[in-house]
Amino acid sequence: MTRRAALGAVVLASLALSATNARADSIVPPWSDPHDVPLPAWGKSVAPLRPDVGIVAAPGKPDAKRGTVAAGARLPLYGSARGASCGGRWLLVGPMAWVCSDAVEVSGDAPQTARPQTAREGGVGGGDGLPYRYFFVGADGAEAFLNLPTGSDGAHGIEAPDEALDPGFAVAISEEADARGARWGRTRHGEWIPMRELTPFHASPFHGDVLAANARLDMAWVVADAASVFSAPVASGRPAHKRARFDRVTWHEERAAAHGGGPMVRVSDDGVTPEQWMRARDLAHPTLAVPPEPIGGASATSPWIDIDLGAQTLVAYEGARPVFATLVSTGLGAPGDAAATPEGLHRIGAKLSTNDMDNLEPDEDDPSAESVDTIDDVPYVQYFDHGVALVGTFWHRDLGRPHGRASVSLAPKDAAWLFAFTAPHLPPGWSAAYPTELEPGTIVRVRTGEPVARDFPLDKTHGTVIHKPSSGKTPETP
């Protein structure tokens, strides 16, 4: 049975739970038990009454988590059934996807057919890849209010703020409004902050390569702050010119340097003179890998992810064919250390469009210590080993070098591409999704790779933000 046919069978099976005794004249959804109060004829979709309403795999089974509903979403309404753990009834909103009517309302709006994409995202090569505008609090701190201040007696007036934010704290702004002669921004957590007290983050413009069929992994990126280019495979004498960090070059051939000093890489095309050679240690170069045995080894066809700790690169595959390659920042720690990205085979166990995350940045005095800081609204989060995840980073630009604790940072554009590529996929209107037997999480392999000697500091940061104390909450996984 094909994956499409299998999912279709699940839809029919799910509908059967509510349609077994359906009215004879009910030939289109929504279906319901004829002995129950009928669903409104005008009902086309389901709207959440609060953020992150839970979606479960079967009515009456709240522990069988499937995902959550995004705020403001409209999910399709297919049917209803009575079941435990819901004061009302369970509403079918997709294959193996039920929500309790206590937390939603039936809507006459048409259901979403695609996830809204902001102008900022735009995919690889367009926009900045971020789902929201991110800011950090300025040097004087900021005051946050649960309600937009009213009146005209100054920016704050006599109202006391609900929270004081420290300098460097990061926020995602989802809405703006004018009040008391000032411009205000509303965070994803519902607090209003004067925009003049915020400074925008500028996301890294870097992005990796989407590969055409039969494309080779011949790309490399400059990871030194400035890399010398020579006219021969000799790393001595006056360089012909320099390449900037994150420049993309083509890895044509590698040779040992004529007089020592490490391997050299020709980055000029065949026949071009004078030739251009660079030190291999100044470049990050992804290498081809054999698919893991759990998905079929060399004969695999399933998507999977390969992360090379030595090169600090990530390659996405469909079976044995690479389809995407980019730079990453893995955890800044020795193998086995709490701050290191865990090696081995993993599967994505939860995907969230955004999530508040702990332990992304190490303690400055003790990098191996548990951090008590949280970064709000981290985008494109894909957990693959407990609290370790693939994430889109807006708070640092240290790609190509280890940075932070355990999790794997990607440029926002790359994180967005990878989020759409991996399973479980988020249907339109969902803010999180968990794997099922029919759609298990994509395999993520983390391997040591070949260690690369660098002559620049691996722990150099670029404008790391300050974060608020952790709430102590961790993401739920089934």
Side-chain angles (χ1 to χ4, degrees), residues 65-67 347-355 357 380-391 419 422-426 431-436 439-442 444 474-478:
K65 296 180 174 64
R66 282 279 285 115
R347 279 193 183 271
I348 292 173
K351 287 176 65 173
L352 301 92
S353 54
T354 64
N355 194 40
M357 294 186 65
Y380 312 120
V381 178
Q382 305 188 67
Y383 288 101
F384 62 85
D385 185 80
H386 302 288
V388 181
L390 300 162
V391 301
F419 195 82
T422 57
H425 295 88
L426 265 69
S431 56
Y434 301 113
T436 65
E439 192 181 31
T442 297
V444 177
T474 56
E476 294 186 29
T477 53

Side-chain angles (χ1 to χ4, degrees), residues 142-149 155-156 161-163 165 171 173-179 182-195 197-198:
E143 295 179 339
F145 300 79
L146 290 177
N147 297 308
L148 185 65
H156 296 170
D162 295 285
E163 185 177 9
L165 303 180
V171 295
I173 297 297
S174 59
E175 178 185 353
E176 290 189 30
D178 293 316
R183 190 71 171 168
W184 295 74
R186 188 171 187 265
T187 71
R188 286 260 299 149
H189 290 265
E191 294 181 317
W192 291 92
I193 304 172
M195 294 298 294
E197 297 176 356
L198 303 175

Side-chain angles (χ1 to χ4, degrees), residues 33-34 97 104 154 175 179 182 201 207 234 273 305 341 360 380 446 462 472:
D33 190 317
V104 300
E175 178 185 353
F201 277 105
H207 62 81
V234 180
T273 56
I305 305 298
T341 302
L360 286 173
Y380 312 120
V446 181
H462 295 271

